[in-house]
Amino acid sequence: MKNMIFSEKRIYKAVAFVAAALISCAFFLSGCGNENKDALNKDNSQEITNNVTSENVQYTQSTDDTNTSENVVLTYSKVDREDVSISPFYLELEAEDGKIEGSLTIGSSRAGFSGSGYVTNFNQSKGNLWTMNFEVNEEGFYKFTVYTSANEHKINALNVNGVNVGSFTDDSKKFTATVFDGIFLNKGENVVSVTEQWGWFDLDKVVIENSTALSNDYYNGISSELANKNADDKTRRIMEYLVSIYGNHTLTGQYCDNGKNTEIDAIYEATGKYPAVRGFDFIFMSPNSGYKNNSELDRAKEWAKTGGLVSFSWHWHSPVGATEFYTDSTDFKLRKAVSNLELANKSAKEIKTMYENGELREEQYRLIADIDIISFYMKQLQNEGITILWRPLHEASGGWFWWGADGKDNYIWLWQFMFTRQTEYHKLNNLIWVWNGQDNERYP
C-alpha cells in the first residue's frame, strides 16, 4: 500500500527509531497550554498556537467552526541536528566479578564461557540477584550485550540503574548474545543487574559500548504523501507537519481512561501544559461489546476544538462470539471472515442481502457491519473537520489479539479490506493511517 505510514521496522534499536515516529509517535506530542482553552472562551474565531518546543515548532489551528477544515496553518523552523561526538567506549563486565546474592554461585562446567567462570544457580530462590557497578566518562546512549545460556526456553530481565530495560530469551544450551541498544547512562557511576523472571539460566558477561548512531538516511527523504489520494487539505497539512519535524523533535501525548480526562488533567497540574495529542479508543463502540459508551467521541471533539490532535485505536471485540478482543478469550477465527468476493464497495443493504441468501458466512457479515458502524462514528468527526491519526489492527504480530492470531495473509487481507471500505465506500478522507503491525512481513 503506497506510502502508508508504518510504526516499526524490525531492528533491535530501542532508541526511538520507530519508523512511524512520523505519526504513531504522534502519541507523544507535547505543548498545548491551558491558555489555549482560555482563549477559546474569549473568542471562538481566533487562532490558537500550541508551542510544541522552544525552537518555534508550532501547530496552529483556527477554531472558526464555519471552516475548520481549511484554516489550518502549520509552521516549523527547522533546527539542525547537532553532530554529537562521543568518545569510544568499551567495557566487559565478567559476571563472576559482580555481586551475587541469594543462592547464586560461580560455575565453570558449561563450555564456552569467558573469564574465569560464570554465575549460575538462578533457581528462582528468594533474593537471587546479580549486580555490578561501573562508570562512564560521558552521559549518552550505550549498547548492552548480555551473554547467557539455558538448557531450554527461559526469559529473564536486564536492569540498568534500577529500571527494567528488557528481557532476554535463552534456549540454545550455549552462551549467546542478546543486544539492548539505546540505553541512556549518566556520567559517572551506574549499575547493571540481572533478575529472574523464569530463572534457570547462566550469566557469562555483560559488554557495554557506545550505541551505533542512526544514519541520517532514516530521517531524510520521507514522503508526506498519504495513502488516500483524496485526503482533505487539513489532513494533508498535518501529515506535512509531522514529516517536517521527523528526526528533529519528539511530540508527546497521552491516552486516558475511557471517556475521562483524569490523566490529561494530572499532566497539566504537574507541568502547566497539556499534551498536543490525545489517544482515544473505539473499544466500547464495538457492536459486540458488552458495555456501550460513546463518550470518547465527545472527548475527541472537545480536544480538537482546543487545537489538539486526535488519535484513535480500536480494541475490537470479536464480531461473533464472546465479547473479547484477546485471542485466548474468544473462539472467533479471522479466516472464517476472509473472502475472495469483491465486497469492500458494496452497500450495507447488498451485504445484508448476500448474508440472508446464504452467500456470506455470519463471520463475514458481522465483520463488515462492525467496520461500517465504526466508520459511522468516524464520519461524525470528519463532518466537524477533525483529522484522525487512525491506528487500527495494532500489535498484530504478537498474536494476543484475534486480528493478528490467524496468520499474516489473513491479517493483510483484513487491513486492505478495511482501508478500501473506509476510504472508497465510506469516503473517510480525514484519516492518517498508522500501521503498527510490528513485523514488516505483515505490512499491507
Side-chain angles (χ1 to χ4, degrees):
M1 186 174 292
K2 183 178 180 181
N3 290 334
M4 181 178 62
I5 297 308
F6 52 93
S7 69
E8 294 185 49
K9 280 194 174 181
R10 201 160 38 166
I11 60 175
Y12 58 79
K13 296 191 178 296
V15 222
F17 173 57
V18 216
L22 299 173
I23 22 197
S24 73
C25 285
F27 274 118
F28 312 128
L29 284 136
S30 73
C32 305
N34 199 41
E35 63 275 11
N36 296 339
K37 293 186 176 180
D38 294 339
L40 276 175
N41 294 331
K42 294 177 182 177
D43 183 356
N44 194 45
S45 65
Q46 63 183 305
E47 288 189 341
I48 298 171
T49 300
N50 299 331
N51 293 314
V52 178
T53 74
S54 59
E55 294 90 356
N56 193 32
V57 181
Q58 298 179 329
Y59 170 80
T60 306
Q61 176 178 350
S62 167
T63 61
D64 183 350
D65 289 338
T66 62
N67 198 11
T68 54
S69 64
E70 298 298 328
N71 294 330
V72 177
V73 180
L74 299 171
T75 63
Y76 168 61
S77 298
K78 185 175 179 64
V79 179
D80 292 332
R81 193 178 306 115
E82 296 180 64
D83 181 15
V84 180
S85 177
I86 299 178
S87 302
F89 182 87
Y90 183 89
L91 177 65
E92 290 193 14
L93 303 178
E94 291 290 349
E96 64 272 19
D97 296 332
K99 180 181 179 181
I100 58 176
E101 301 179 48
S103 65
L104 304 184
T105 59
I106 307 300
S108 59
S109 60
R110 187 187 293 273
F113 63 85
S114 63
S116 60
Y118 55 85
V119 175
T120 188
N121 211 29
F122 285 91
N123 58 10
Q124 295 187 322
S125 294
K126 184 177 181 180
N128 281 356
L129 177 65
W130 175 87
T131 59
M132 197 162 181
N133 293 352
F134 64 96
E135 291 190 359
V136 295
N137 294 326
E138 298 175 82
E139 69 173 22
F141 292 98
Y142 291 81
K143 177 169 68 176
F144 285 64
T145 305
V146 183
Y147 291 83
T148 58
S149 180
N151 292 330
E152 57 186 21
H153 183 78
K154 301 297 178 185
I155 300 175
N156 295 283
L158 178 71
N159 311 282
V160 177
N161 294 327
V163 177
N164 184 328
V165 297
S167 298
F168 52 88
T169 301
D170 298 289
D171 58 12
S172 65
K173 299 184 180 180
K174 60 182 180 180
F175 288 107
T176 56
T178 304
V179 176
F180 301 82
D181 206 347
I183 298 173
F184 185 82
L185 298 177
N186 295 312
K187 178 181 178 180
E189 187 172 76
N190 294 267
V191 60
V192 59
S193 64
V194 170
T195 52
E196 295 175 312
Q197 291 177 331
W198 294 14
W200 305 105
F201 69 101
D202 295 334
L203 173 65
D204 182 30
K205 65 181 177 180
V206 177
V207 175
I208 306 168
E209 55 193 312
N210 301 108
S211 279
T212 303
L214 292 177
S215 168
N216 285 340
D217 292 342
Y218 285 121
Y219 305 106
N220 298 331
I222 303 297
S223 173
S224 62
E225 182 181 357
L226 291 167
N228 178 10
K229 65 181 180 180
N230 295 316
D232 62 45
D233 184 64
K234 176 181 176 181
T235 299
R236 286 188 288 104
R237 291 194 200 182
I238 290 174
M239 183 62 193
E240 290 168 1
Y241 167 71
L242 294 171
V243 170
S244 75
I245 66 172
Y246 183 49
N248 287 275
H249 296 277
T250 300
L251 305 173
T252 65
Q254 180 67 42
Y255 272 105
C256 290
D257 191 16
N258 191 266
K260 299 179 181 178
N261 297 316
T262 307
E263 292 84 353
I264 292 292
D265 291 341
I267 289 172
Y268 179 76
E269 184 176 347
T271 68
K273 294 183 178 181
Y274 288 105
V277 156
R278 175 169 169 176
F280 300 88
D281 200 324
F282 288 116
I283 180 172
F284 296 124
M285 291 178 242
S286 294
N288 199 29
S289 171
Y291 171 73
K292 296 294 191 297
N293 188 334
N294 296 350
S295 59
E296 287 280 80
L297 280 181
D298 294 331
R299 301 293 84 77
K301 293 173 184 178
E302 293 169 0
W303 186 254
K305 285 182 178 179
T306 67
L309 293 178
V310 170
S311 176
F312 263 95
S313 295
W314 184 15
H315 283 85
W316 186 353
H317 292 84
S318 56
V320 179
T323 59
E324 288 287 348
F325 38 81
Y326 287 117
T327 303
D328 58 5
S329 299
T330 179
D331 57 1
F332 181 79
K333 302 299 182 186
L334 176 56
R335 70 178 80 100
K336 294 182 179 180
V338 171
S339 174
N340 293 325
L341 299 174
E342 297 293 332
L343 301 172
N345 280 293
K346 290 189 178 295
S347 69
K349 183 177 180 180
E350 289 175 305
I351 296 293
K352 184 178 181 181
T353 299
M354 293 177 70
Y355 170 61
E356 292 174 341
N357 291 340
E359 300 174 63
L360 295 179
R361 292 186 292 271
E362 183 178 13
E363 290 85 356
Q364 295 167 325
Y365 172 61
R366 298 296 179 189
L367 180 140
I368 298 171
D370 281 11
I371 294 173
D372 288 350
I373 289 172
I374 296 302
S375 299
F376 168 78
Y377 293 125
M378 299 174 91
K379 183 64 71 72
Q380 294 181 36
L381 299 178
Q382 178 170 264
N383 290 342
E384 297 200 21
I386 299 172
T387 292
I388 303 172
L389 297 165
W390 177 219
R391 179 180 172 259
L393 309 177
H394 58 288
E395 301 172 14
S397 66
W400 43 78
F401 297 131
W402 62 260
W403 51 84
D406 219 358
K408 66 173 184 172
D409 291 338
N410 292 327
Y411 166 79
I412 291 172
W413 175 89
L414 178 57
W415 179 283
Q416 293 178 342
F417 179 86
M418 178 182 286
F419 177 85
T420 303
R421 183 97 180 142
Q422 293 194 311
T423 301
E424 296 182 7
Y425 178 71
H426 289 289
K427 296 184 174 15
L428 291 170
N429 297 321
N430 62 327
L431 307 182
I432 296 176
W433 289 75
V434 182
W435 180 69
N436 180 232
Q438 300 174 306
D439 181 354
N440 60 10
E441 291 185 358
R442 291 173 177 257
Y443 185 72

Short mmCIF file of all heavy atoms in Angstrom, two decimals, residues 290-315:
data_model
loop_
_atom_site.label_atom_id
_atom_site.label_comp_id
_atom_site.label_asym_id
_atom_site.label_seq_id
_atom_site.Cartn_x
_atom_site.Cartn_y
_atom_site.Cartn_z
N GLY A 290 -19.86 -5.81 25.37
CA GLY A 290 -20.87 -6.00 26.39
C GLY A 290 -21.23 -4.72 27.11
O GLY A 290 -22.22 -4.65 27.84
N TYR A 291 -20.41 -3.68 26.93
CA TYR A 291 -20.63 -2.39 27.59
C TYR A 291 -20.57 -1.32 26.52
O TYR A 291 -19.64 -1.27 25.72
CB TYR A 291 -19.57 -2.15 28.65
CG TYR A 291 -19.56 -0.77 29.25
CD1 TYR A 291 -20.55 -0.38 30.14
CD2 TYR A 291 -18.56 0.14 28.92
CE1 TYR A 291 -20.54 0.90 30.69
CE2 TYR A 291 -18.54 1.41 29.47
CZ TYR A 291 -19.53 1.79 30.36
OH TYR A 291 -19.53 3.05 30.90
N LYS A 292 -21.56 -0.47 26.45
CA LYS A 292 -21.63 0.56 25.42
C LYS A 292 -21.37 1.94 26.03
O LYS A 292 -21.98 2.33 27.03
CB LYS A 292 -23.01 0.55 24.74
CG LYS A 292 -23.31 -0.75 23.97
CD LYS A 292 -22.38 -0.91 22.77
CE LYS A 292 -22.83 -2.04 21.86
NZ LYS A 292 -22.81 -3.35 22.48
N ASN A 293 -20.46 2.67 25.38
CA ASN A 293 -20.15 4.02 25.85
C ASN A 293 -19.55 4.81 24.68
O ASN A 293 -18.49 4.46 24.17
CB ASN A 293 -19.14 3.96 27.01
CG ASN A 293 -18.92 5.30 27.66
OD1 ASN A 293 -19.09 6.34 27.04
ND2 ASN A 293 -18.53 5.29 28.93
N ASN A 294 -20.23 5.86 24.27
CA ASN A 294 -19.78 6.68 23.15
C ASN A 294 -19.10 7.97 23.59
O ASN A 294 -18.86 8.86 22.78
CB ASN A 294 -20.96 7.03 22.25
CG ASN A 294 -21.59 5.82 21.61
OD1 ASN A 294 -21.05 4.72 21.68
ND2 ASN A 294 -22.74 6.01 20.99
N SER A 295 -18.76 8.08 24.87
CA SER A 295 -18.25 9.35 25.38
C SER A 295 -16.89 9.73 24.79
O SER A 295 -16.51 10.90 24.82
CB SER A 295 -18.15 9.30 26.91
OG SER A 295 -17.30 8.25 27.34
N GLU A 296 -16.16 8.75 24.24
CA GLU A 296 -14.88 9.08 23.62
C GLU A 296 -15.06 10.05 22.46
O GLU A 296 -14.20 10.89 22.20
CB GLU A 296 -14.19 7.81 23.13
CG GLU A 296 -13.61 6.92 24.20
CD GLU A 296 -12.26 7.43 24.71
OE1 GLU A 296 -12.25 8.37 25.54
OE2 GLU A 296 -11.22 6.89 24.29
N LEU A 297 -16.18 9.95 21.75
CA LEU A 297 -16.45 10.88 20.65
C LEU A 297 -16.56 12.31 21.15
O LEU A 297 -16.01 13.24 20.57
CB LEU A 297 -17.73 10.49 19.92
CG LEU A 297 -17.68 9.35 18.91
CD1 LEU A 297 -19.05 9.16 18.29
CD2 LEU A 297 -16.64 9.63 17.84
N ASP A 298 -17.29 12.49 22.25
CA ASP A 298 -17.45 13.83 22.81
C ASP A 298 -16.10 14.38 23.28
O ASP A 298 -15.79 15.56 23.05
CB ASP A 298 -18.44 13.80 23.97
CG ASP A 298 -19.84 13.45 23.53
OD1 ASP A 298 -20.18 13.75 22.38
OD2 ASP A 298 -20.59 12.86 24.34
N ARG A 299 -15.30 13.53 23.94
CA ARG A 299 -13.99 13.99 24.40
C ARG A 299 -13.10 14.35 23.21
O ARG A 299 -12.32 15.31 23.28
CB ARG A 299 -13.32 12.90 25.24
CG ARG A 299 -14.05 12.44 26.48
CD ARG A 299 -14.16 13.50 27.57
NE ARG A 299 -15.29 14.37 27.34
CZ ARG A 299 -16.55 14.05 27.59
NH1 ARG A 299 -16.85 12.86 28.08
NH2 ARG A 299 -17.53 14.91 27.38
N ALA A 300 -13.18 13.57 22.12
CA ALA A 300 -12.37 13.86 20.94
C ALA A 300 -12.74 15.19 20.31
O ALA A 300 -11.87 15.97 19.90
CB ALA A 300 -12.52 12.73 19.92
N LYS A 301 -14.04 15.47 20.25
CA LYS A 301 -14.49 16.75 19.69
C LYS A 301 -14.01 17.92 20.55
O LYS A 301 -13.56 18.95 20.04
CB LYS A 301 -16.01 16.76 19.57
CG LYS A 301 -16.55 15.76 18.55
CD LYS A 301 -18.07 15.67 18.60
CE LYS A 301 -18.61 14.61 17.66
NZ LYS A 301 -20.08 14.48 17.74
N GLU A 302 -14.10 17.74 21.87
CA GLU A 302 -13.63 18.79 22.78
C GLU A 302 -12.14 19.03 22.60
O GLU A 302 -11.67 20.17 22.56
CB GLU A 302 -13.92 18.38 24.23
CG GLU A 302 -15.40 18.34 24.59
CD GLU A 302 -15.64 17.68 25.94
OE1 GLU A 302 -14.64 17.28 26.59
OE2 GLU A 302 -16.81 17.56 26.35
N TRP A 303 -11.39 17.92 22.49
CA TRP A 303 -9.93 18.02 22.37
C TRP A 303 -9.55 18.74 21.09
O TRP A 303 -8.66 19.60 21.07
CB TRP A 303 -9.33 16.63 22.41
CG TRP A 303 -7.84 16.62 22.44
CD1 TRP A 303 -7.01 16.28 21.42
CD2 TRP A 303 -7.01 16.96 23.55
NE1 TRP A 303 -5.71 16.40 21.82
CE2 TRP A 303 -5.68 16.82 23.12
CE3 TRP A 303 -7.26 17.40 24.85
CZ2 TRP A 303 -4.60 17.08 23.96
CZ3 TRP A 303 -6.18 17.65 25.68
CH2 TRP A 303 -4.87 17.50 25.24
N ALA A 304 -10.22 18.40 19.99
CA ALA A 304 -9.91 19.02 18.71
C ALA A 304 -10.21 20.52 18.73
O ALA A 304 -9.48 21.32 18.12
CB ALA A 304 -10.71 18.34 17.60
N LYS A 305 -11.25 20.92 19.43
CA LYS A 305 -11.61 22.34 19.47
C LYS A 305 -10.55 23.17 20.19
O LYS A 305 -10.43 24.37 19.96
CB LYS A 305 -12.97 22.52 20.14
CG LYS A 305 -14.13 22.11 19.25
CD LYS A 305 -15.47 22.36 19.93
CE LYS A 305 -16.62 21.99 19.00
NZ LYS A 305 -17.94 22.21 19.65
N THR A 306 -9.77 22.56 21.07
CA THR A 306 -8.70 23.30 21.76
C THR A 306 -7.42 23.33 20.94
O THR A 306 -6.42 23.88 21.38
CB THR A 306 -8.39 22.67 23.13
OG1 THR A 306 -7.82 21.37 22.94
CG2 THR A 306 -9.62 22.58 23.99
N GLY A 307 -7.43 22.74 19.76
CA GLY A 307 -6.24 22.73 18.92
C GLY A 307 -5.43 21.46 19.01
O GLY A 307 -4.38 21.34 18.38
N GLY A 308 -5.88 20.48 19.79
CA GLY A 308 -5.14 19.25 19.94
C GLY A 308 -5.36 18.29 18.79
O GLY A 308 -6.38 18.34 18.11
N LEU A 309 -4.39 17.42 18.56
CA LEU A 309 -4.52 16.37 17.56
C LEU A 309 -5.20 15.15 18.17
O LEU A 309 -5.02 14.84 19.35
CB LEU A 309 -3.15 15.97 17.01
CG LEU A 309 -2.42 17.04 16.18
CD1 LEU A 309 -1.06 16.52 15.75
CD2 LEU A 309 -3.24 17.44 14.98
N VAL A 310 -5.96 14.45 17.35
CA VAL A 310 -6.78 13.32 17.80
C VAL A 310 -6.25 12.03 17.19
O VAL A 310 -6.04 11.94 15.98
CB VAL A 310 -8.26 13.52 17.39
CG1 VAL A 310 -9.07 12.26 17.63
CG2 VAL A 310 -8.85 14.70 18.16
N SER A 311 -6.05 11.04 18.03
CA SER A 311 -5.66 9.71 17.55
C SER A 311 -6.66 8.69 18.09
O SER A 311 -7.13 8.80 19.22
CB SER A 311 -4.25 9.36 18.02
OG SER A 311 -3.91 8.05 17.64
N PHE A 312 -6.99 7.70 17.25
CA PHE A 312 -7.90 6.63 17.68
C PHE A 312 -7.28 5.27 17.39
O PHE A 312 -6.69 5.05 16.33
CB PHE A 312 -9.24 6.72 16.93
CG PHE A 312 -10.33 7.43 17.67
CD1 PHE A 312 -10.55 8.77 17.45
CD2 PHE A 312 -11.11 6.76 18.61
CE1 PHE A 312 -11.57 9.45 18.12
CE2 PHE A 312 -12.12 7.42 19.29
CZ PHE A 312 -12.35 8.77 19.06
N SER A 313 -7.43 4.37 18.35
CA SER A 313 -7.19 2.95 18.15
C SER A 313 -8.53 2.24 18.29
O SER A 313 -9.55 2.87 18.57
CB SER A 313 -6.20 2.42 19.19
OG SER A 313 -4.92 3.00 19.02
N TRP A 314 -8.50 0.92 18.12
CA TRP A 314 -9.75 0.16 18.24
C TRP A 314 -9.45 -1.22 18.82
O TRP A 314 -8.95 -2.09 18.12
CB TRP A 314 -10.43 0.03 16.89
CG TRP A 314 -11.77 -0.66 16.89
CD1 TRP A 314 -12.57 -0.94 17.98
CD2 TRP A 314 -12.49 -1.14 15.75
NE1 TRP A 314 -13.72 -1.54 17.59
CE2 TRP A 314 -13.71 -1.68 16.22
CE3 TRP A 314 -12.23 -1.15 14.39
CZ2 TRP A 314 -14.65 -2.25 15.37
CZ3 TRP A 314 -13.16 -1.71 13.54
CH2 TRP A 314 -14.36 -2.26 14.02
N HIS A 315 -9.71 -1.36 20.10
CA HIS A 315 -9.69 -2.70 20.70
C HIS A 315 -11.02 -3.35 20.30
O HIS A 315 -12.03 -3.17 20.97
CB HIS A 315 -9.51 -2.63 22.22
CG HIS A 315 -8.10 -2.34 22.63
ND1 HIS A 315 -7.60 -1.07 22.71
CD2 HIS A 315 -7.09 -3.17 22.98
CE1 HIS A 315 -6.33 -1.12 23.08
NE2 HIS A 315 -6.00 -2.38 23.25
#
